[in-house]
């Protein structure tokens, strides 16, 4: 089973710490272009880890990952959604709203 799938499974059952570890390994493998990385997209891995960080109570780290996801794929609305959620959790409400609006502007379907 690949790291991303393991991370997804841990996320589903609420084990966010293990989920973060798995997504981190998937990011490392993808960056290293390792054979077990498959065709994973970094923006998705950062987005998934951002969601896990939010659930784990680490909004600052979630924001960092969301911003990296946006940087990699600036036309992917979901990345802006992750950024909006992280900013909301940090109490930065106007910035959160801006992130959601940016996401809708670049991707009305997500």
């Amino acid at each position: 089973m690949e790291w991303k799938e393991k991370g997804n499974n841990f996320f589903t059952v609420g084990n966010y710490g293990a989920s973060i570890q798995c997504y981190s390994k998937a990011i490392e493998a993808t960056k290293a272009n390792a054979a077990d990385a498959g065709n994973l997209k970094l923006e998705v891995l950062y987005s998934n880890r951002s969601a896990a960080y939010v659930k784990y109570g680490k909004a600052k780290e979630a924001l960092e990952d969301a911003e990296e996801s946006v940087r990699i794929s600036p036309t992917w609305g979901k990345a802006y959604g992750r950024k909006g959620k992280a900013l909301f959790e940090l109490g930065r409400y106007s910035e959160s709203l801006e992130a959601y609006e940016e996401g809708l502007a670049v991707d009305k379907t997500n």
Side-chain angles (χ1 to χ4, degrees):
M1 183 182 304
E2 67 180 46
W3 288 116
K4 180 182 180 250
E5 188 177 340
K6 286 181 182 180
N8 291 347
N9 290 340
F10 281 125
F11 187 92
T12 299
V13 298
N15 190 341
Y16 305 116
S19 179
I20 290 165
Q21 290 176 348
C22 290
Y23 292 137
S24 295
K25 289 198 181 273
I27 289 167
E28 290 170 21
T30 301
K31 283 183 171 181
N33 201 21
D36 64 341
N39 63 351
L40 299 178
K41 294 183 175 184
L42 276 173
E43 67 269 23
V44 173
L45 296 173
Y46 279 108
S47 174
N48 288 2
R49 192 171 70 176
S50 176
Y53 273 133
V54 164
K55 293 285 193 177
Y56 201 60
K58 294 187 171 261
K60 180 178 177 280
E61 291 83 350
L63 178 58
E64 291 170 3
D65 277 1
E67 288 178 332
E68 184 64 11
S69 185
V70 168
R71 186 193 68 74
I72 294 167
S73 187
T75 59
W76 187 41
K78 190 170 191 175
Y80 292 91
R82 300 285 194 222
K83 182 177 177 180
K85 177 64 174 167
L87 287 164
F88 183 87
E89 293 299 321
L90 289 167
R92 295 163 58 181
Y93 305 118
S94 62
E95 291 174 85
S96 174
L97 179 59
E98 287 175 22
Y100 286 121
E101 289 172 344
E102 286 178 66
L104 286 172
V106 298
D107 183 1
K108 293 183 184 351
T109 65
N110 210 334

